[in-house]
Amino acid sequence: VTVGFIGGTGPEARGLALRFVRAGIEVVLGSRTPDRAARAAAECRSRLGTMDVRGALNREMLPECEVVFLTVPWEQATGAVDTLRAEFRPGQVLVDVTVPLRFAAGTPERVELAEGSNAERIAKHVPEGIELVGAFKTEPAHVLGEIDLPLDCDTFVCGDSAAAKMKVMDIAARVPGLRPLDAGPLVAARTLEMMTVLAIQLNRSHRSKGGRFRIVGL
Amino acid sequence: VTVGFIGGTGPEARGLALRFVRAGIEVVLGSRTPDRAARAAAECRSRLGTMDVRGALNREMLPECEVVFLTVPWEQATGAVDTLRAEFRPGQVLVDVTVPLRFAAGTPERVELAEGSNAERIAKHVPEGIELVGAFKTEPAHVLGEIDLPLDCDTFVCGDSAAAKMKVMDIAARVPGLRPLDAGPLVAARTLEMMTVLAIQLNRSHRSKGGRFRIVGL
């Protein structure tokens, strides 16, 4: 499986890419700017000493990847999907990792969306034949990027297609220290997005950047 | 500090009581029926071989406890607070542990409440001078009741009074294996109640009863 990133130059994408590439997964980092894609891929290659990652324009990356991560800032997610509409191919899985968040007087807070979650909002823009999955919403970019830090956490995967969730869970399961858990239908993204806000608030009060979830006792 | 339970005969209350009593905290299990309160307390005493727990009518227990747990079924919570209105004493802390849940065709799902969470719903019924805290919403009764099972998890405490949260966190911190975390204002109960539904769903798909949360990396 080749994994692509729409907006692959931000910290969440680069962190996920590092973990995936090290797990032996082929990765293409997409960007609207060829230079930025090339730089992000070069940084990833030099950190890992491997060649299994390259940069490309979003619209060039998209048709050739089975599973595509949407890693743009949350408020740009629907626009990015709309812009790239013609480049999707039926059968692809789109993975939304975004969390609708704003900072009010320095404090992170969740943005209430009429759709309930950003994943559900994005779902209304996803072309026919593409399955949307919400996942990796609760992993801090900071932790993903510290490539030698054990993840030691769970990733919660939600969506309305069991087959699509399975593809994403298979990818997650290849990353050491990460346990994928099926969190139910796409509407569960509401819970996951709220959990991320809680983790960010706990990070701030504990002066950490690494708070993430693990379910004990399953 | 003496800890009371309104509706102290159910599994969540009995599990919490076991953990608290073993941690050296004095507990009063309240009930509407003296017999049921006495039986629950006797069971707790015999399991722990200690005398530091007794049963009482809810209305007798309430005036003498600094911190009172509301452990009735979620849909009876506001009614219980209304019924006991005259027995509250200013300065008391009321701890809501409820989660609004129903089973639809055997599947647990969250009940959407206009107030956003059951904690916020209960807040509208709490008498003046009583501080409401949401806590222990994510710990399975089953795990609490297995007294020799290490808890090995976090409990999330939310509320609009820092002093009241601190009292509840101090109680939680006395229980071995349990780390209290300040989850923010009472509105965070929405997140905690949704997390509990997620944990119950994960329990079902993993044939477990013990799923609970731990934040790694704080």
Side-chain angles (χ1 to χ4, degrees):
Chain A
V1 60
T2 304
V3 170
F5 289 82
I6 300 172
T9 59
E12 187 79 12
R14 284 182 295 153
L16 284 171
L18 283 169
R19 300 282 177 167
F20 291 164
V21 171
R22 187 182 253 192
I25 296 164
E26 197 186 330
V27 165
V28 186
L29 295 175
S31 172
R32 286 175 300 182
T33 318
D35 281 6
R36 296 186 63 209
R39 269 205 307 276
E43 184 210 312
C44 189
R45 284 196 298 268
S46 82
R47 284 191 63 184
L48 296 177
T50 169
M51 298 304 286
D52 287 343
V53 54
R54 59 202 158 84
L57 284 171
N58 284 327
R59 63 180 159 76
E60 290 170 357
M61 168 280 295
L62 191 47
E64 58 173 299
C65 294
E66 274 179 70
V67 177
V68 180
F69 282 71
L70 186 57
T71 44
V72 296
W74 75 267
E75 61 273 54
Q76 296 169 21
T78 55
V81 171
D82 290 344
T83 301
L84 293 165
R85 189 163 194 88
E87 321 305 333
F88 283 98
R89 297 291 173 266
Q92 283 178 320
V93 175
L94 183 65
V95 186
D96 165 43
V97 308
T98 65
V99 175
L101 197 70
R102 80 175 141 230
F103 285 80
T107 304
E109 60 176 41
R110 181 166 165 268
V111 178
E112 296 267 356
L113 300 175
E115 297 84 356
S117 66
N118 210 33
E120 290 162 275
R121 191 187 208 196
I122 293 164
K124 302 196 168 183
H125 293 253
V126 170
E128 189 90 21
I130 308 299
E131 297 291 356
L132 182 65
V133 166
F136 298 96
K137 286 183 182 275
T138 52
E139 286 74 30
H142 174 79
V143 170
L144 293 168
E146 297 240 356
I147 186 73
D148 293 319
L149 187 69
L151 287 177
D152 192 25
C153 67
D154 296 327
T155 192
F156 302 94
V157 181
C158 67
D160 296 330
S161 158
K165 276 194 285 193
M166 194 56 74
K167 278 188 194 168
V168 177
M169 292 175 73
D170 283 347
I171 290 169
R174 292 177 65 176
V175 177
L178 191 64
R179 175 176 63 169
L181 293 174
D182 185 339
L186 197 69
V187 69
R190 299 175 189 190
T191 305
L192 307 182
E193 293 175 9
M194 291 173 86
M195 286 166 64
T196 303
V197 176
L198 173 61
I200 291 171
Q201 289 167 342
L202 287 168
N203 277 341
R204 288 170 67 92
S205 56
H206 289 76
R207 299 177 194 280
S208 169
K209 290 177 175 174
R212 54 206 186 272
F213 291 89
R214 202 142 79 95
I215 306 270
V216 177
L218 277 191
Chain B
V1 59
T2 304
V3 170
F5 288 83
I6 299 172
T9 59
E12 187 80 11
R14 284 182 295 154
L16 284 171
L18 283 169
R19 300 283 178 167
F20 291 164
V21 171
R22 186 183 254 192
I25 297 165
E26 196 186 330
V27 165
V28 186
L29 294 175
S31 173
R32 286 174 301 182
T33 318
D35 281 5
R36 295 187 63 209
R39 267 205 308 277
E43 184 209 310
C44 189
R45 284 196 298 268
S46 82
R47 284 191 63 183
L48 296 176
T50 169
M51 297 306 286
D52 287 342
V53 53
R54 60 202 157 84
L57 283 172
N58 285 326
R59 62 181 160 76
E60 290 169 357
M61 168 281 295
L62 191 47
E64 58 173 297
C65 294
E66 273 178 70
V67 176
V68 180
F69 283 70
L70 186 56
T71 44
V72 298
W74 74 268
E75 61 274 52
Q76 296 171 21
T78 55
V81 171
D82 290 344
T83 302
L84 294 165
R85 188 163 195 88
E87 320 306 332
F88 283 97
R89 297 291 174 266
Q92 284 179 320
V93 175
L94 182 64
V95 186
D96 165 41
V97 308
T98 64
V99 175
L101 196 71
R102 79 173 143 233
F103 285 80
T107 305
E109 61 177 40
R110 182 165 164 268
V111 179
E112 296 267 356
L113 300 175
E115 297 84 356
S117 66
N118 210 33
E120 290 162 276
R121 191 187 207 197
I122 294 164
K124 304 197 168 183
H125 293 254
V126 171
E128 189 91 20
I130 307 299
E131 297 290 357
L132 181 65
V133 166
F136 298 95
K137 286 182 182 274
T138 51
E139 286 74 31
H142 174 81
V143 170
L144 293 168
E146 297 241 355
I147 187 72
D148 293 319
L149 188 69
L151 287 177
D152 191 25
C153 67
D154 296 327
T155 192
F156 302 94
V157 180
C158 67
D160 296 330
S161 158
K165 276 194 284 193
M166 194 56 74
K167 278 188 195 169
V168 178
M169 291 175 73
D170 282 347
I171 291 170
R174 292 177 65 175
V175 177
L178 191 64
R179 175 177 62 168
L181 292 174
D182 185 340
L186 197 69
V187 69
R190 298 176 189 189
T191 305
L192 307 183
E193 294 175 9
M194 291 173 86
M195 285 167 63
T196 303
V197 177
L198 174 60
I200 291 171
Q201 288 167 343
L202 287 168
N203 277 342
R204 288 170 68 92
S205 56
H206 289 75
R207 299 176 193 281
S208 169
K209 291 177 175 175
R212 55 205 186 272
F213 291 89
R214 200 141 81 95
I215 306 270
V216 177
L218 277 191

